[in-house]
Structures are given as structure tokens and as C-alpha cells.
């Protein structure tokens, strides 16, 4: 679907961005693993998180919508059903990489996971390696791509230092660790910690400690069951980031974004844009918090001028999904904006380094792709034109924001990709433009 986003005369009003995708995936998985029914409030209603509900259903959970909430009845940690065919993860990388952590200890049962064209290009060797070391079976196409099959076993403890800063890999190993004596994951650079917070909430035995430098060590031990009764999902800071960027870039804008997740492992983008001079007022959770709660805050955004900035490699995991927006903001900023240490962007829903550099150049930007990031030279704005979403939800949203802030407007090719995380984006923009 092609959709044109004309230059905006100002965005004004308040909106609650859609619920958090990362936390919704985890809420559904944890509820499916729990022995007692779990109520999930504000579960994200989007394509990715529908894939997770479908997956837990075929594994035996019962999902009942009730007064805008979900009641999920799982079968416990060790009782996943074997579905009659492959589990379809759709476009959801998080589902594809977390679910095998749970499946890896379903004794002698095999599960095949597959997904769409984009998911089939995303590597799974990063989870295969630790799961095999723990004793699970793992066979993948060409050794590293979906479809792949996990066979559950009695797992052994491991100590695993993440070779890539990935919350998905960390979460997979921590879930698998729930049936081992003591499994430790070491992350040299912190990544989002929603799984750890839920494990704490679920009364699993989990210990987190700070290492020298920025690193964190997390250990989980054998659990009989997960104890949860209700999970409340805040609004998604990654989806909010598109509205923040629109509010900052479009003259005469003033937006209030309500109830946005403020977990410090997700607010790297806020710290970057504040450094660029953007006016986005909110309460932050202090970096380094080991809370079991998911804090939320309102964000008050106004239009204002921007300076270029350098995003350091250790900031990358805490803003990974927002880095395309940093490139967009860089086109409007004074001076140069540089991102490095972000090679992971090449294996997201699309190659986001190539897509952002080529896409923004097509709109008049001066953007150079690096192997592990990009350099943007601010040119005072963007002309506009066509922008190909390449089947990637975050690119579709990026193209739309670029259109509002451009001089001539942007036609986004493949706008339907936005449905993966933010189905109502164009409607929210239309409402805020009135
Ligand atoms: C996610 C982690 C990130 C992020 C993805 C969601 C998660 O991926 O890009 O959109 O929910 O754990 P990696 O952990 O692989 O970097």
C-alpha cells in the first residue's frame, strides 16, 4: 500500500502510543509458562504480538479476551504441547528467539519454527550455540536460518558471555536456565531487561550484579513454576520515538505522549535527542536500576532546533530500534551525526543501515552508510519523494515522519508494514494534525 504524508503545519494534542511490543511478547510467553491464570492488561494488538498469542495457543495455552484485557491460562513450565505443524512466528524476531528458550527443556519433544520471508533471512545460530551447549537439539536451515527445529532435553548449566549485545539471546538463555542448577549470562554492554524484571516478578530465583565497567551478570536457578497474577504493559518507547521525532521536527508542534515505558534500558533515544537539543520532557528511571517494575511516564514534546551528535557503541543496544530515527533527525540538525558500533542493524527486519542511507538520500539527505553505522551531514531538512519501507515496520514509520517534516511530502511504499508494531500510526497522525 502506498500512502502519502504531506508536510505538516504542526502536530498538537495528547496520545497514548501503542503498548510495548517487547513486554507484550514476554507477557504472553510468561503467562503460557505459568501454572495459574495470568491477566495481561494493555497487551499490544498488532501483527507481531498476535503471532505470539497464536504460538502459545498451539503450545496449549488458552487465551481469553475479557473487557479489553487478556486472561491467559498456561499449562506450566514443563508441559508445552507439541503442535501438529511448524509454529509460525510471522515477522516476529523476538518470538523466534525467546520461545526456543522455553521449548529447549520440553523433554524429548521437537518443535519447528518458521516465519515470513524477512524472518527467514534472520540468523538463529546466536541462540543455537548456547542452547546446544546446554544439551538441547537444534537443527537450522544452512546451520543458521529458519525454519529450524528445537528438541528439548534435560539441560545443563552454562556461563555464557554474549558475543553480540542482544536482549533476545540473553532472554533465550535465561529462560532455558530455569531448569538448570545455575545458568549465568554475562553482558559486556547492557541490553533491555524486561525478561529479568518479569523473572523477578514471577518469583524465579534470579540474581543480577554489576561487573567492572558497564557489564551485568545475571544468574537464574531451577524453578518449579512461575508465579504471576497480572501484568500491565506500558506504552512502547520505541513507537513513541516516532511521535517524539515528529513533534521535534515539525514546526508549531506540541505533543503529550502518555504512559510511555521509562525503563532505563529503553530510553537511550531520549538521552540522545536531549543531547541534540530536542525539547522532550519526561521522568527517566536512573540508569543501572535493577527494579522488578516497568515504570511509565508522560513525555511533553515541542518543536526545536537540533545539533548533530555522536552515538557511541555502548549507547547502541539501549536505542537499537530508534537509530534510524537518529539518522532522520541528523538530516535536520546542524553539523554531523555519527552512529557506529551498530552492525546489528544489518540483521533486523531489513538491513536498516542500507535502507536508511539509501532511503534518506532519495529524499534529499546527505547520508553515508558505514559497515557498522552511518554518518549524516545536516542539510537543514529534506526535500521529500518516495520512500520504500522494504517490508520493515520501523522504516514505514520513519518514511511517514520524514514526509511530515519534509518540504514536498513523502510517499511511503509499503505502509502496511507499520501494522507489525503500530497499526494506527497514520490515524494518530491525522488526529494530531487537526
Ligand atoms: C528486542 C530486542 C532487540 C530489538 C527488538 C526487540 C527484544 O533485538 O531490536 O526489536 O524484545 O528483546 P536484539 O536483542 O536482538 O538486539
Amino acid at each position: 500500500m502506498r500512502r502519502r504524508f504531506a508536510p505538516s503545519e504542526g502536530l498538537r494534542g495528547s496520545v497514548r502510543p501503542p503498548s510495548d511490543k517487547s513486554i507484550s511478547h514476554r507477557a504472553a510467553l510468561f503467562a503460557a509458562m505459568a501454572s495459574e491464570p495470568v491477566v495481561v492488561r494493555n497487551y499490544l494488538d498488532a501483527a507481531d504480538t498476535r503471532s505470539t498469542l497464536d504460538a502459545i495457543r498451539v503450545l496449549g495455552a488458552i487465551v481469553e479476551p475479557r473487557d479489553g484485557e487478556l486472561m491467559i491460562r498456561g499449562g506450566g513450565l514443563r508441559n508445552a504441547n507439541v503442535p501438529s505443524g511448524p509454529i509460525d512466528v510471522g515477522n516476529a524476531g523476538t518470538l523466534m528467539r525467546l520461545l526456543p528458550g522455553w521449548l529447549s527443556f520440553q523433554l524429548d519433544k521437537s518443535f519447528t519454527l518458521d516465519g515470513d520471508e524477512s524472518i527467514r533471512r534472520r540468523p538463529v545460530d546466536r541462540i543455537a550455540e548456547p542452547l546446544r551447549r546446554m544439551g538441547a537439539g537444534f537443527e537450522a536451515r544452512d546451520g543458521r536460518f529458519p525454519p529450524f527445529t528445537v528438541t528439548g532435553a534435560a539441560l545443563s548449566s552454562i556461563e555464557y558471555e554474549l558475543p553480540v549485545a542482544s536482549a533476545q539471546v540473553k532472554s533465550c538463555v535465561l529462560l532455558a536456565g530455569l531448569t538448570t542448577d545455575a545458568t549465568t549470562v554475562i553482558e559486556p554492554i547492557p541490553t533491555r531487561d524486561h525478561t529479568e524484571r518479569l523473572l523477578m516478578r514471577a518469583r524465579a530465583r534470579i540474581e543480577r550484579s554489576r561487573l567492572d565497567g558497564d557489564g551485568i551478570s545475571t544468574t537464574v536457578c531451577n524453578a518449579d513454576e512461575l508465579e504471576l497474577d497480572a501484568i500491565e504493559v506500558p506504552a512502547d518507547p520505541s513507537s513513541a520515538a516516532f511521535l517524539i521525532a515528529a513533534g521535534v521536527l515539525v514546526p508549531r508542534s506540541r505533543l503529550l505522549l502518555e504512559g510511555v515505558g521509562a525503563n532505563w534500558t529503553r530510553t537511550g533515544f531520549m538521552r540522545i535527542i536531549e543531547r541534540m537539543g530536542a525539547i522532550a520532557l519526561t521522568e527517566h528511571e536512573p540508569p543501572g536500576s535493577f527494579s522488578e517494575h516497568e515504570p511509565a511516564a508522560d513525555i511533553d514534546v515541542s518543536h526545536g532546533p537540533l545539533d548533530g551528535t555522536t552515538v557511541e557503541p555502548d549507547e547502541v543496544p539501549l536505542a537499537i530500534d530508534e537509530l534510524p530515527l537518529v539518522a532522520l533527525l541528523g538530516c535536520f540538525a546542524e553539523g554531523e551525526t555519527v552512529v557506529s558500533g551498530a552492525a546489528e542493524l544489518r540483521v533486523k527486519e531489513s538491513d536498516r543501515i542500507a535502507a536508511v542511507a539509501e532511503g534518506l538520500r532519495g529524499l534529499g539527505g546527505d547520508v553515508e552508510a558505514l559497515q557498522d553505522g552511518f554518518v549524516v551531514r545536516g542539510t537543514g531538512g529534506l526535500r521529500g519523494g518516495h520512500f520504500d519501507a522494504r517490508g520493515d515496520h520501523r522504516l514505514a514509520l520513519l518514511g511517514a515522519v520524514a514526509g511530515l517534516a519534509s518540504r514536498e511530502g513523502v510517499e511511503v511504499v509499503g505502509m502496511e508494514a507499520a501494522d507489525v508494531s503500530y497499526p494506527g500510526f497514520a490515524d494518530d497522525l491525522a488526529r494530531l494534525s487537526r
Side-chain angles (χ1 to χ4, degrees), residues 125-358:
D125 44 345
R126 51 184 61 197
I127 56 167
E129 206 242 322
L131 291 181
R132 278 198 197 114
R133 270 179 55 193
M134 297 174 89
F138 202 107
E139 296 300 327
R141 180 176 57 89
D142 297 337
R144 63 186 301 243
F145 295 109
F148 63 91
T149 300
V150 186
T151 303
L155 302 182
S156 323
S157 308
I158 56 168
E159 181 176 305
Y160 192 67
E161 180 164 337
L162 291 179
V164 279
S166 165
Q168 295 177 349
V169 177
K170 170 180 65 173
S171 300
C172 176
V173 178
L174 291 177
L175 293 181
L178 284 173
T179 56
T180 66
D181 289 342
T183 284
T184 299
V185 179
I186 292 173
E187 37 181 351
I189 307 179
T191 63
R192 66 190 68 190
D193 67 354
H194 306 302
T195 302
E196 294 89 313
R197 290 183 195 224
L198 269 176
L199 285 168
M200 287 164 85
R201 290 266 315 276
R203 302 286 156 253
R205 283 190 292 155
I206 166 165
E207 242 179 67
R208 306 179 70 192
S209 56
R210 248 169 286 283
L211 304 170
D212 289 344
D214 286 338
I216 297 176
S217 163
T218 306
T219 300
V220 286
C221 303
N222 233 312
D224 290 330
E225 56 178 17
L226 297 180
E227 294 173 34
L228 281 161
D229 48 10
I231 303 172
E232 175 110 25
V233 184
D236 195 320
S238 299
S239 297
F242 292 92
L243 294 167
I244 295 171
V248 167
L249 292 179
V250 174
R252 292 175 292 281
S253 292
R254 179 82 191 264
L255 294 175
L256 185 69
L257 310 180
E258 294 167 342
V260 181
N263 174 328
W264 75 275
T265 64
R266 293 292 299 285
T267 47
F269 175 70
M270 296 296 293
R271 294 186 279 278
I272 294 167
I273 60 159
E274 279 169 10
R275 209 160 66 215
M276 296 178 86
I279 307 166
L281 306 171
T282 189
E283 281 168 35
H284 293 277
E285 185 182 45
S289 165
F290 282 164
S291 168
E292 65 176 66
H293 299 291
E294 291 290 353
D298 295 344
I299 308 177
D300 184 347
V301 188
S302 321
H303 169 67
L306 297 172
D307 293 318
T309 191
T310 296
V311 175
E312 303 293 344
D314 63 349
E315 293 181 281
V316 162
L318 306 184
I320 185 75
D321 294 332
E322 293 74 70
L323 293 176
L325 276 171
V326 174
L328 174 66
L329 293 170
C331 294
F332 290 77
E334 182 80 38
E336 230 176 46
T337 297
V338 182
V339 172
S340 62
E344 273 297 295
L345 287 178
R346 293 206 179 264
V347 289
K348 293 293 176 189
E349 285 83 332
S350 68
D351 175 345
R352 287 187 180 155
I353 292 181
V356 163
E358 289 161 22

Side-chain angles (χ1 to χ4, degrees), residues 29 55 59 87 89 94-104 113:
L29 290 177
L59 291 164
I87 299 170
V89 303
T94 303
L95 172 60
M96 169 176 76
R97 302 222 181 85
L98 264 61
L99 184 56
W102 178 32
L103 302 179
S104 64
L113 277 69

